[in-house]
C-alpha cells in the first residue's frame, strides 16, 4: 500500500510538470509566463503555504522530544549532503554558478511539494507534523544560506545578497513560528482561504519546471553525470545509511519514517525559481528536477521498502 501511495504522488507531480512542458512545445503557453509564475510562488503562494502548514498544527508534549531528535539528525544530514556535493562539484569541475546550484540541489529536497502529500498519505497528521518540522529547518537554511550562496556565485554584491535574505518566505516562517509558540490561530475562514491559495504552490512550481524544461535543449541531459550523482548519493546511499544508523536507536517509528523519506526526496524545485531570480544556472537546476523526480519513481519505493525491512 505504501509503495503505491508513493508512486501515485510522484506520478501526479510528473504529470503537472509534463503539462507545462507540452504547453511550451505546442506554443499553447508562452515561455515568458514562467517569470510571472516564479514571482507568484516566491512572493505569494509559498509564504501562505508556510504560515498555514505551521500554525495549523497542535503540539502534544510527547512530540517535543521526537521533534528535537529529528532536528539534530537533520542538521547532520544537511551537513553531510552538502560536503559530499562539494566533493562531486570539484571532481566534475563545475563552474561556480552551476556548482552552487548542484550543491544546493544535492542538499535540499522537495520536502513540502512532494513530502507533505506523500507523508500525509502514508503516516497521517502526526507524520505531517514531523514533515513540517523537517521543512522548517530545511527551508530556513535554504532561504538564508542558500539564497546568499546563489547571490554570491551570481556576482551579486554582499549588501544586495543580505537584502535577498529578507524575503516573504523567511518572514512567513518567523511569523508562523511566533504564532505556534504562543498558540495563536488564524480565524477559520482566513486559515482555510490562505491554505487554499498556498496549496497552489505545488502545481505552480511543477508548471514552472515544465515550462523551463520546454524552453531549453534537453538533448545532452543524459550526459550530465553530476546530476546522476545526486540520485545515487542523496536519494539512495545517504537514506540507506540513515536507516541503518537509526535502527540502533529505535526512535519513534512515525518520526523515523518521515525523517528518512524527507532526506530521500528528489531535489527542491524552488531552487530553480531562486536561481532564475538571481540570474544563476536555472537550466541546470531544472534538469536536476526533471531527472531526480523521474528517478524518485524508483528510488523512493526502494528506500521505503528497505526501511520496512530494517525497522
Amino acid at each position: 500500500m505504501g509503495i503505491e501511495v508513493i508512486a501515485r504522488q510522484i506520478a501526479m507531480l510528473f504529470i503537472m510538470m509534463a503539462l507545462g512542458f507540452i504547453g511550451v512545445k505546442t506554443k499553447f503557453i508562452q515561455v515568458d509566463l514562467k517569470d510571472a509564475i516564479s514571482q507568484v510562488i516566491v512572493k505569494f503562494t509559498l509564504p501562505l503555504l508556510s504560515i498555514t502548514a505551521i500554525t495549523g498544527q497542535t503540539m502534544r508534549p510527547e512530540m517535543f522530544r521526537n521533534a528535537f531528535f529529528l532536528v539534530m539528525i537533520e542538521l547532520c544530514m544537511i551537513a553531510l549532503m552538502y560536503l559530499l556535493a562539494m566533493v562531486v562539484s570539484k571532481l566534475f569541475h563545475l563552474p561556480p554558478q552551476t556548482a552552487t546550484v548542484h550543491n544546493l540541489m544535492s542538499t535540499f529536497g522537495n520536502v513540502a511539494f512532494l513530502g507533505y502529500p506523500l507523508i500525509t498519505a502514508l503516516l497521517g497528521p502526526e507524520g505531517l507534523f514531523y514533515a513540517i518540522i523537517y521543512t522548517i529547518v530545511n527551508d530556513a537554511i535554504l532561504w538564508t544560506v542558500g539564497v546568499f550562496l546563489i547571490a554570491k556565485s551570481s556576482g551579486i554584491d554582499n549588501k544586495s545578497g543580505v537584502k535577498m535574505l529578507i524575503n516573504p518566505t523567511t518572514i512567513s516562517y518567523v511569523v508562523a513560528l511566533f504564532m505556534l509558540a504562543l498558540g495563536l490561530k488564524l480565524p477559520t475562514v482566513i486559515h482555510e482561504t490562505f491554505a487554499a491559495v498556498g496549496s497552489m504552490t505545488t502545481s505552480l512550481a511543477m508548471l514552472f519546471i515544465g515550462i523551463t524544461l520546454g524552453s531549453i535543449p534537453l538533448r545532452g541531459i543524459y550526459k550530465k553525470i553530476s546530476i546522476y550523482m545526486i540520485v545515487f548519493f542523496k536519494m539512495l546511499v545517504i537514506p540507506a545509511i540513515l536507516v541503518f544508523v537509526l535502527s540502533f536507536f529505535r526512535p519513534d517509528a512515525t518520526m523515523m519514517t518521515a525523517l528518512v523519506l524527507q532526506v530521500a526526496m528528489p531535489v527542491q524545485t524552488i531552487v530553480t525559481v531562486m536561481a532564475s531570480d538571481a540570474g544563476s544556472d536555472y537550466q541546470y537546476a531544472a534538469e536536476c528536477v526533471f531527472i531526480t523526480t523521474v528517478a524518485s519513481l524508483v528510488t523512493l519505493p526502494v528506500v521505503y521498502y528497505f526501511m520496512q525491512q530494517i525497522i
Side-chain angles (χ1 to χ4, degrees):
M1 177 62 180
I3 293 178
E4 292 178 3
V5 171
I6 291 173
R8 183 170 63 251
Q9 292 295 332
I10 298 172
M12 289 174 62
L13 288 180
F14 184 77
I15 292 170
M16 291 178 193
M17 184 167 60
L19 289 174
F21 182 87
I22 294 171
V24 169
K25 290 301 185 182
T26 59
K27 301 189 184 303
F28 187 74
I29 297 176
Q30 298 299 316
V31 174
D32 293 343
L33 184 61
K34 69 180 178 63
D35 296 325
I37 291 176
S38 70
Q39 292 298 307
V40 171
I41 293 173
V42 173
K43 296 181 179 179
F44 197 52
T45 64
L46 184 58
L48 292 181
L49 175 65
S50 303
I51 290 175
T52 54
I54 295 171
T55 60
Q57 298 301 305
T58 300
M59 288 291 290
R60 300 199 311 271
E62 64 270 20
M63 295 169 71
F64 276 104
R65 184 172 63 86
N66 291 336
F68 178 78
F69 183 80
L70 181 147
V71 170
M72 292 300 101
I73 297 298
E74 178 184 359
L75 291 174
C76 292
M77 290 298 100
I78 287 175
L80 175 61
M81 289 187 287
Y82 190 81
L83 289 173
L84 187 58
M86 290 179 65
V87 172
V88 172
S89 296
K90 293 291 185 182
L91 288 176
F92 285 88
H93 305 290
L94 299 179
Q97 288 190 359
T98 305
T100 299
V101 170
H102 174 88
N103 296 344
L104 294 178
M105 285 288 190
S106 300
T107 305
F108 301 101
N110 194 351
V111 294
F113 301 157
L114 176 58
Y116 284 1
L118 177 60
I119 290 173
T120 300
L122 285 172
L123 305 173
E126 184 174 344
L128 176 61
F129 166 76
Y130 294 123
I132 290 173
I133 294 298
Y134 188 101
T135 302
I136 290 173
V137 176
N138 180 89
D139 288 5
I141 298 174
L142 176 62
W143 283 97
T144 51
V145 178
V147 168
F148 185 79
L149 289 174
I150 286 180
K152 183 177 180 181
S153 68
S154 300
I156 298 175
D157 61 85
N158 290 338
K159 184 177 180 180
S160 298
V162 171
K163 287 182 179 179
M164 289 178 67
L165 303 183
I166 304 174
N167 53 67
T169 301
T170 55
I171 293 172
S172 70
Y173 277 127
V174 173
V175 172
L177 289 173
F178 179 77
M179 293 178 64
L180 182 63
L182 297 181
L184 301 177
K185 300 286 186 181
L186 293 170
T188 302
V189 66
I190 295 179
H191 180 90
E192 292 179 352
T193 302
F194 283 7
V197 176
S199 67
M200 296 166 57
T201 304
T202 300
S203 302
L204 289 174
M206 298 314 294
L207 282 174
F208 174 86
I209 298 301
I211 293 171
T212 300
L213 288 170
S215 64
I216 61 177
L218 295 177
R219 195 173 306 169
I221 192 172
Y222 65 93
K223 297 180 181 178
K224 297 188 177 181
I225 307 301
S226 60
I227 299 179
Y228 294 97
M229 292 297 98
I230 298 177
V231 175
F232 180 68
F233 287 112
K234 181 191 185 306
M235 300 170 63
L236 285 172
V237 174
I238 291 179
I241 293 173
L242 179 58
V243 170
F244 181 74
V245 172
L246 289 178
S247 66
F248 291 99
F249 294 93
R250 293 292 174 181
D252 177 82
T254 300
M255 184 277 292
M256 175 179 173
T257 303
L259 171 61
V260 173
L261 287 177
Q262 290 289 63
V263 170
M265 288 293 158
V267 301
Q268 174 62 276
T269 57
I270 287 298
V271 174
T272 308
V273 180
M274 293 166 59
S276 177
D277 286 345
S280 187
D281 194 352
Y282 68 89
Q283 293 188 6
Y284 183 87
E287 292 168 344
C288 288
V289 172
F290 178 78
I291 290 177
T292 60
T293 301
V294 172
S296 67
L297 284 165
V298 175
T299 60
L300 279 174
V302 167
V303 169
Y304 184 78
Y305 177 80
F306 177 71
M307 183 166 43
Q308 294 303 303
Q309 303 308 305
I310 299 296
I311 62 174

